[in-house]
Amino acid sequence: MMKRIVASLFFISFCVCLSFSQVPGLFRIGTGGLQGVYYPIGKLIAQGLTARFLGPDKPAGIPETLFVAQTSGGSISNVQSLLSKETEAGLVQADVAYWAYTRQGPFEGLAEPAPVRAIASLYPEKMQIVVRKDARIETFDQLKGKTISLDEAGSGTLAVLRILLEAHRLSEKDLKPVYLKPEFTVDRLMRNELQGFCMMAGVPALAIERLTSVDYSIVPIDPTVAERIQGQHPYLFPGVIPAGVYQGIGQTPTIEVYALLVVHQDLPDEMAYALTESLWSKQVLSLLETGHAQGASITLDTALDGLSIPLHPGAYRFYAERGMVSKQEP
Ligand code: GLU
């Protein structure tokens, strides 16, 4: 009997302790497919931020928070999940964020400009159209009639591909399009079920690095076409995939866009400030630098490059304190 009473008392005090201990808040970051760059970069950011928000350097006055990177369809899906509050942040192409903010393209039906706000610009993404060498596709126009994966409907890749097709007076129907995330294209390309696949992503992308048993090339985008596109879509700009990013592939002209870290405008200012400050902490930056080749190009110096939507006021305050934007928020 006595034993039972002691056990019950022990159980009750355990429950009381539990109910008083704080469960960390959850902060979800929407990324992309498993073998792109958003997901590994998002994971490193989540890992670094969690270490800060749960550790001895926890920002003052901010609840303990656990950050997680979630796979997703890509930029368009990430904006949609931010709007429906299924995530707290997302990696989003600058052009897609701009469409959401100005109600264009897939966001035409919104009643109000999407309440998306930037924390930072991270790194430039590059259109990478990977094709089997034996498919003999040397120019964009030669994609005509070929079986090419254009990524999923929620991806920023498909959105940019549609712009590229239009700029070449082609449409999806001129190809034999397939809509798969890159991780599902690698084996199909090696088995010759696909002749190519596309990714608007940082470099190197794991899906391309995995193409070990097939000769492939990357289709160049003519710089004059890229410039023409920039005239209509200011956040897309001409660029190059540097030589040697992928074994045996020389420098290739392409089209680029910045990847932004985006949150909902409802995120409390103190949280957005703490998030920005922590993102640019030595701890998170060194994780990014050592964790992924693209991570080294994520720097405070380039944090405002290619921003297409307003900064979140909390992020703005961080940059204003460092003289990177004017003291007075526009
Ligand atoms: N930019 C791509 C998209 O929005 C995702 C790229 C990646 O997964 O790294 O669909």
Side-chain angles (χ1 to χ4, degrees):
M1 181 67 178
M2 195 57 191
K3 260 191 195 161
R4 246 199 240 161
I5 293 173
V6 172
S8 311
L9 282 176
F10 181 77
F11 182 70
I12 290 166
S13 52
F14 175 73
C15 291
V16 169
C17 282
L18 251 193
S19 62
F20 279 106
S21 69
Q22 279 279 326
V23 177
L26 185 61
F27 192 103
R28 297 156 295 185
I29 306 173
T31 64
L34 276 172
Q35 293 179 12
V37 177
Y38 278 6
Y39 183 59
I41 290 289
K43 267 204 313 194
L44 291 166
I45 292 176
Q47 189 188 337
L49 291 177
T50 300
R52 270 184 81 90
F53 280 64
L54 292 183
D57 298 328
K58 186 173 92 59
I62 301 287
E64 293 197 320
T65 309
L66 184 71
F67 292 80
V68 290
Q70 296 186 171
T71 55
S72 83
S75 288
I76 296 175
S77 302
N78 292 344
V79 170
Q80 286 161 343
S81 3
L82 256 187
L83 300 185
S84 58
K85 306 222 167 153
E86 285 161 83
T87 51
E88 284 64 46
L91 298 186
V92 180
Q93 289 176 200
D95 58 334
V96 171
Y98 182 73
W99 289 340
Y101 188 65
T102 54
R103 290 185 282 164
Q104 295 183 56
F107 302 100
E108 220 171 36
L110 290 180
E112 302 280 333
V116 286
R117 297 292 182 268
I119 292 293
S121 169
L122 299 179
Y123 60 87
E125 299 188 80
K126 298 160 193 292
M127 178 54 84
Q128 300 164 68
I129 306 176
V130 181
V131 290
R132 287 178 63 98
K133 271 237 171 88
D134 57 12
R136 304 195 180 286
I137 305 169
E138 274 152 31
T139 64
F140 192 93
D141 291 306
Q142 291 169 351
L143 291 170
K144 215 170 163 177
K146 301 294 197 299
T147 310
I148 309 288
S149 176
L150 311 180
D151 208 331
E152 282 182 11
S155 71
T157 297
L158 179 57
V160 177
L161 230 318
R162 286 183 173 146
I163 292 172
L164 279 167
L165 285 166
E166 201 187 309
H168 290 87
R169 296 180 209 288
L170 293 172
S171 83
E172 272 156 271
K173 289 191 206 98
D174 292 315
L175 318 181
K176 292 194 190 104
V178 174
Y179 302 92
L180 293 170
K181 287 243 76 70
E183 63 262 35
F184 302 115
T185 60
V186 177
D187 293 335
R188 285 176 170 84
L189 188 111
M190 293 200 282
R191 289 198 299 261
N192 206 9
E193 292 162 21
L194 275 181
Q195 288 163 308
F197 67 85
C198 311
M199 303 184 75
M200 186 75 184
V203 292
L206 183 58
I208 304 177
E209 288 183 313
R210 278 189 53 220
L211 293 171
T212 46
S213 63
V214 65
D215 279 340
Y216 68 89
S217 55
I218 297 187
V219 180
I221 309 288
D222 183 338
T224 56
V225 176
E227 272 163 35
R228 201 155 21 93
I229 291 177
Q230 188 179 22
Q232 277 187 314
H233 301 276
Y235 300 104
L236 296 173
F237 56 94
V240 294
I241 301 165
V245 165
Y246 302 109
Q247 224 182 350
I249 306 281
Q251 176 169 301
T252 313
T254 189
I255 195 156
E256 304 196 2
V257 71
Y258 278 96
L260 312 182
L261 179 60
V262 172
V263 293
H264 197 288
Q265 71 176 13
D266 289 352
L267 188 72
D269 286 6
E270 306 69 47
M271 183 63 181
Y273 180 91
L275 190 64
T276 314
E277 187 189 39
S278 302
L279 173 69
W280 299 122
S281 67
K282 273 208 190 105
Q283 209 173 335
V284 175
L285 287 175
S286 79
L287 260 184
L288 284 166
E289 201 181 328
T290 51
H292 194 283
Q294 188 68 72
S297 59
I298 303 179
T299 65
L300 182 56
D301 281 350
T302 52
L304 305 176
D305 286 2
L307 284 188
S308 55
I309 55 171
L311 285 164
H312 188 287
Y316 192 96
R317 179 156 67 85
F318 173 84
Y319 296 116
E321 285 172 0
R322 274 143 199 88
M324 293 172 67
V325 290
S326 67
K327 284 266 175 276
Q328 202 55 48
E329 202 175 337

